[in-house]
Amino acid sequence: MIPTEQVNLLRSFVQQCKKYPSLLHNPRISFYKEYLESLGATIPPAQTDNAANNAQAGQKDKSSSESELEFSDADVMEPEEEMSLPFGDESVELTEEMIVNCDVKQQKAMEAAKKGDYEQALKLYSEAICLNPLSTLLYGRRAWVLLNLKKPMTAIRDCTKAINLNPNAAIAYKYRGKAYRMLGRWEDAYYDLCNANNLDYNEECYQWLKEVEEYLEEGTFSGDVGKLSHVKNPPV
């Protein structure tokens, strides 16, 4: 018997495919597309530039009472050169002193971030990670600081490290999804934000997901949905 949890996940995935057929052109699930085609299914072609333009034109004709998300080239940034940040030595056995010092560093980092001193927060989180290199929370929080410093590529690296340590780290999926959104990698952002909300629902993350969903649905980007980049976890 198939576990109920797996059935629910499959149902959710199929619903998303019905809503966004171009998801079936994602290289990560090419095996599923090939399986459907082997059964005689007809897969809709990836959305073209013309379709995207038509969708955008249709959006402009909607009633002004409807909410409309506006995206421009200014919303997407070019990938930055990744910063070289420490990950710490995972083989080191943690001592009580290291844990206490790590907590102190983390608290100071949070205080610095609240004041908008993200450079100092980055330094302190890095020191905390060196003291406790197995903390997915620290990697997630450092990623948040990196996003505020407009360093999405480096944030992705931290989040991927956290996910490698703990595949259920919702905070890592959340901020990696945000980083992908900053880079204009809409489909990657969609997958990560979905994962984050499935693991631990968060209102802010939900709003980011709705933003990405509407962007994909309206086709207001300049390009082909079917050619959107797929997730490639950078080495850590």
Side-chain angles (χ1 to χ4, degrees):
M1 180 179 294
I2 303 176
T4 301
E5 182 180 4
Q6 292 185 14
V7 172
N8 290 336
L9 286 173
L10 179 59
R11 181 181 293 111
S12 176
F13 172 70
V14 171
Q15 288 174 345
Q16 292 302 322
C17 286
K18 287 181 178 179
K19 191 173 183 180
Y20 308 115
S22 288
L23 290 175
L24 292 171
H25 293 276
N26 188 311
R28 289 192 300 162
I29 57 172
S30 60
F31 65 92
Y32 182 60
K33 176 173 172 280
E34 292 169 0
Y35 169 68
L36 293 177
E37 290 175 332
S38 72
L39 297 177
T42 300
I43 307 299
Q47 188 173 0
T48 63
D49 289 347
N50 287 335
N53 292 334
N54 290 337
Q56 186 173 12
Q59 174 69 8
K60 293 179 180 179
D61 292 334
K62 288 183 179 180
S63 169
S64 59
S65 63
E66 296 182 24
S67 62
E68 180 177 346
L69 291 177
E70 295 182 358
F71 298 94
S72 65
D73 292 339
D75 292 310
V76 176
M77 60 179 292
E78 291 294 323
E80 87 285 0
E81 182 177 350
E82 289 185 32
M83 300 175 65
S84 178
L85 297 176
F87 285 144
D89 184 356
E90 296 177 23
S91 65
V92 173
E93 184 175 347
L94 295 181
T95 65
E96 184 175 347
E97 181 181 4
M98 291 170 67
I99 294 174
V100 171
N101 288 337
C102 176
D103 289 342
V104 172
K105 296 285 187 184
Q106 181 176 196
Q107 185 61 39
K108 290 182 177 180
M110 293 171 64
E111 292 172 357
K114 286 181 180 179
K115 296 177 182 178
D117 190 351
Y118 296 115
E119 292 288 354
Q120 179 65 7
L122 179 62
K123 176 178 179 293
L124 289 165
Y125 274 129
S126 295
E127 292 175 358
I129 286 173
C130 287
L131 291 168
N132 185 2
L134 297 178
S135 172
T136 56
L137 181 61
L138 288 175
Y139 285 113
R141 288 180 172 172
R142 187 169 73 174
W144 175 79
V145 169
L146 288 164
L147 292 178
N148 280 280
L149 290 171
K150 307 299 182 185
K151 302 289 185 182
M153 290 297 295
T154 313
I156 288 171
R157 191 179 181 88
D158 264 13
C159 291
T160 301
K161 175 66 175 180
I163 291 168
N164 287 342
L165 290 172
N166 177 12
N168 294 319
I171 187 175
Y173 285 109
K174 174 184 177 181
Y175 291 131
R176 193 171 71 172
K178 179 65 172 179
Y180 282 139
R181 183 259 176 270
M182 291 172 67
L183 293 168
R185 295 172 60 173
W186 301 102
E187 191 169 301
D188 294 344
Y190 175 80
Y191 278 114
D192 272 0
L193 294 174
C194 278
N195 278 329
N197 263 344
N198 287 336
L199 289 167
D200 183 17
Y201 179 82
N202 175 274
E203 183 62 29
E204 181 180 45
C205 184
Y206 175 74
Q207 292 303 321
W208 293 348
L209 178 59
K210 296 302 291 183
E211 176 185 84
V212 171
E213 278 187 339
E214 186 161 340
Y215 196 84
L216 286 170
E217 186 175 37
E218 299 300 335
T220 52
F221 54 89
S222 58
D224 185 341
V225 176
K227 294 181 180 179
L228 287 171
S229 57
H230 59 286
V231 177
K232 292 183 179 179
N233 294 345
V236 293

